Amino acid sequence: MDRLDRLRRLTARDHLLLSWLAEHYVLTTGQIATALFPSLRSARLRLAVLTSLQAVTRFVDVTTGDRQYLYTLGPLGTVVYPTQYNDPLRTDGREPRSSVERTERIIGSRRLPHLLGTNQLFVDLHAYTRTDPNAQLARWWSEQHATAVYGAVAAVADGPGIRPDGHGVWAAGGREVGFFLEHDNGTETIGTVLRKLREYDRLALGGGPRYSVLLRVPGRRREQHLLDVLAGARLAMPIATGVHTEHPAGPAWTLTHDPGLRRWLHELPSDHGPENPATNPHRYPGAAAA
């Protein structure tokens, strides 16, 4: 089968999946099924077809012990979706020469579990939109994408800039909110977390958006520690904590400046910021504040 014939066999859903793999590197069988398919069986059947078409490449996950398949872009997928987000670690290094080398870098990345954890939040949000016709994940950016966009702001603000694990815009409940994600596995010191939050403040004060920063942590003890440390802190960027096991669309978030109530994601503070391309590039075209 030649390339043109293989391209003709790709559906709209296939293209959406390939675009995700182009930007977000890797997804599990379960994540793909949750986000895009009616059942795990139907996902496996279609993924087998996409593997045979070389649209995706699969390998066995040895990091979690469940030995499920993980998927990255295959040779055909790389042709359809060439991307600058080639390497989750070597962002300033040499681009991979092929989809095989790209996959090898992802498989060998120490950040593989972190990437999967980060992507899980967005997968869960996308899956939620299938149950609520009024909900939409309007933007899902990778770490490299968000860092590239807001890097110009760092230069203006004279700081290293933010490097979120992900950035999204979520619409639900009649509101539209932007957010930055910090997926915390409990391995970073509190000092490191605080230094990251200072860069978000620099972004907000420098004319960028004021989106809630989601500190998503492994458990309640870690969350309470962060809430205690941040209690009373004067921060320009709103900060909300939550734990990995709670659904991100639901009442999973505690604002550090108002910890008495757990809020739904669409209830968090959000301001798309001024229409200034120097300090707020790629401003989301929504309401100024929510």
Side-chain angles (χ1 to χ4, degrees):
M1 186 185 304
D2 64 23
R3 180 184 294 177
L4 188 58
D5 287 335
R6 287 182 287 148
L7 288 172
R8 290 196 185 105
R9 294 185 63 183
L10 297 178
T11 67
R13 181 172 58 189
D14 296 336
H15 278 280
L16 178 58
L17 171 59
L18 296 180
S19 71
W20 286 355
L21 293 176
E23 173 145 351
H24 305 290
Y25 308 111
V26 60
L27 292 167
T28 70
T29 307
Q31 288 174 336
I32 295 168
T34 296
L36 296 174
F37 288 86
S39 68
L40 184 59
R41 181 177 182 275
S42 62
R44 286 172 172 161
L45 290 172
R46 187 58 190 169
L47 287 168
V49 172
L50 292 178
T51 301
S52 69
L53 295 174
Q54 297 187 315
V56 300
T57 296
R58 70 184 184 185
F59 57 97
V60 175
D61 179 15
V62 297
T63 64
T64 61
D66 60 13
R67 302 192 65 80
Q68 67 177 317
Y69 280 122
L70 306 183
Y71 290 85
T72 63
L73 275 186
L76 183 68
T78 306
V79 169
V80 179
Y81 290 94
T83 174
Q84 63 179 310
Y85 310 112
N86 285 308
D87 192 327
L89 276 181
R90 298 168 54 184
T91 56
D92 299 320
R94 175 181 57 81
E95 292 188 1
R97 290 168 293 185
S98 65
S99 63
V100 173
E101 184 179 344
R102 182 180 190 266
T103 295
E104 288 174 346
R105 290 187 186 182
I106 294 169
I107 295 171
S109 171
R110 298 187 305 275
R111 299 192 63 212
L112 180 57
H114 190 272
L115 282 170
L116 294 173
T118 295
N119 290 345
Q120 187 65 53
L121 177 137
F122 292 93
V123 164
D124 288 341
L125 290 178
H126 189 83
Y128 184 89
T129 67
R130 297 168 63 192
T131 67
D132 182 351
N134 297 314
Q136 180 188 15
L137 181 58
R139 177 184 280 178
W140 175 12
W141 285 1
S142 66
E143 174 185 336
Q144 283 198 37
H145 193 162
T147 300
V149 166
Y150 292 107
V153 182
V156 172
D158 191 27
I162 66 169
R163 195 177 187 88
D165 294 318
H167 161 54
V169 174
W170 176 243
R175 300 185 73 237
E176 180 186 84
V177 299
F179 63 88
F180 296 112
L181 174 63
E182 289 289 341
H183 181 80
D184 183 304
N185 284 326
T187 57
E188 292 185 329
T189 66
I190 296 298
T192 298
V193 174
L194 293 177
R195 283 193 293 274
K196 287 183 176 182
L197 295 182
R198 281 196 288 271
E199 293 307 317
Y200 285 106
D201 262 20
R202 202 188 299 268
L203 173 65
L205 296 172
R210 295 187 183 225
Y211 293 149
S212 291
V213 179
L214 309 183
L215 297 179
R216 203 172 195 218
V217 300
R220 293 290 182 212
R221 180 177 297 181
R222 173 78 165 176
E223 181 185 30
Q224 190 58 55
H225 190 189
L226 285 167
L227 289 171
D228 292 343
V229 170
L230 295 170
R234 298 174 62 86
L235 299 168
M237 197 79 86
I239 311 297
T241 63
V243 298
H244 295 175
T245 54
E246 292 194 335
H247 197 289
W253 305 104
T254 300
L255 287 166
T256 57
H257 68 269
D258 185 16
L261 178 67
R262 298 192 79 82
R263 290 171 168 80
W264 289 65
L265 181 58
H266 68 264
E267 296 174 332
L268 295 179
S270 177
D271 186 337
H272 294 304
E275 296 189 23
N276 185 335
T279 63
N280 195 11
H282 295 266
R283 180 186 185 275
Y284 190 77

